[in-house]
Amino acid sequence: MIKPADIIRDNDGLWTHPDLPEWDEGTTKEQVDAWASENGGTIHVEWMDGNAPQELTDRYFEVGEPDCSYWYPCCNKEGNFLLSIHDTEDGPVALFFVPNSSKAVLDVIAERQRQLSVEGWTPDHDDKYNDSELATAALCYLKASFTDEKFTIKKKPDQLWPWASEWWKPANPRRDLVKAAALILAEIERLDRKAAKEAA
């Protein structure tokens, strides 16, 4: 599935996501919508004429050059990310990908990505937890989300907590549930990898 990519615009301010199909004038809207649906979302279009401040739009059309590097297109759809900025006969246009997922799902995915990129809990790291530590940690955060003993739990981890106490970081009910869901996702991924290795 398509994911956000680093945006490095060229001298004219144009950019295309490296995993975007090579669409051309013959590509139909149905084909574009089908691709977006297969990737779990929709395409949102923003034209410079309408998205940018009027002075920037006037600047572009008065100069008559394909430079829109001063335009930073925006999309107010939740979870969106940029797919491309390209020039057309009607001026610059930006394509955004908008996932179908709710904010809750997006927050769980973001937490899972944070675990991977910030904490360094890579698949190889997670594969070492063969005694359901990931699921147990998720259970602890789940318990923290609804327990009345907030002060006690925040000061000291649940007795089931599988790791060192400094890794116990409850916050608030919603955040604790997001952490629990991300840990469950990590455990499911670990089990899938284990099954794949055993089947090989």
Side-chain angles (χ1 to χ4, degrees):
M1 294 179 66
I2 194 78
K3 295 180 180 179
D6 292 335
I7 302 172
I8 303 176
R9 299 169 69 174
D10 65 18
N11 291 335
D12 291 327
L14 309 180
W15 178 79
T16 300
H17 192 294
D19 295 329
L20 194 66
E22 294 184 8
W23 293 325
D24 55 30
E25 295 180 355
T27 304
T28 65
K29 183 179 184 301
E30 288 73 19
Q31 290 173 311
V32 173
D33 290 344
W35 174 86
S37 179
E38 290 172 0
N39 280 270
T42 58
I43 300 293
H44 179 78
V45 180
E46 287 287 351
W47 293 88
M48 183 182 194
D49 186 9
N51 180 269
Q54 189 61 47
E55 59 268 23
L56 295 187
T57 303
D58 292 343
R59 172 182 172 182
Y60 175 84
F61 286 104
E62 286 176 5
V63 172
E65 296 181 358
D67 179 11
C68 64
S69 57
Y70 45 83
W71 175 44
Y72 293 90
C74 58
C75 172
N76 61 6
K77 303 292 185 180
E78 196 168 355
N80 79 85
F81 57 86
L82 190 64
L83 290 178
S84 76
I85 304 174
H86 56 275
D87 199 24
T88 73
E89 293 181 353
D90 298 315
V93 63
L95 301 182
F96 293 87
F97 184 79
V98 181
N100 290 332
S101 302
S102 67
K103 185 178 187 305
V105 172
L106 294 173
D107 285 349
V108 171
I109 294 173
E111 170 61 17
R112 180 69 189 121
Q113 291 298 319
R114 188 195 69 80
Q115 293 173 356
L116 289 163
S117 60
V118 177
E119 302 292 353
W121 298 340
T122 63
D124 287 342
H125 172 273
D126 288 351
D127 286 345
K128 298 175 183 177
Y129 297 127
N130 296 313
D131 294 324
S132 301
E133 291 96 335
L134 293 168
T136 302
L139 178 62
C140 292
Y141 275 115
L142 175 62
K143 183 177 179 181
S145 74
F146 63 79
T147 184
D148 292 330
E149 300 174 0
K150 285 291 185 183
F151 180 78
T152 302
I153 285 183
K154 287 185 182 298
K155 296 290 288 185
K156 184 179 180 180
D158 187 278
Q159 61 182 359
L160 293 176
W161 181 249
W163 301 312
S165 59
E166 58 263 29
W167 288 103
W168 175 243
K169 301 174 182 179
N172 57 63
R174 188 182 187 282
R175 179 62 180 156
D176 293 344
L177 286 172
V178 168
K179 289 185 178 182
L183 285 162
I184 290 172
L185 181 58
E187 175 68 354
I188 293 171
E189 291 172 345
R190 184 190 72 81
L191 292 173
D192 288 346
R193 289 190 298 271
K194 180 179 178 182
K197 290 178 181 179
E198 292 174 350

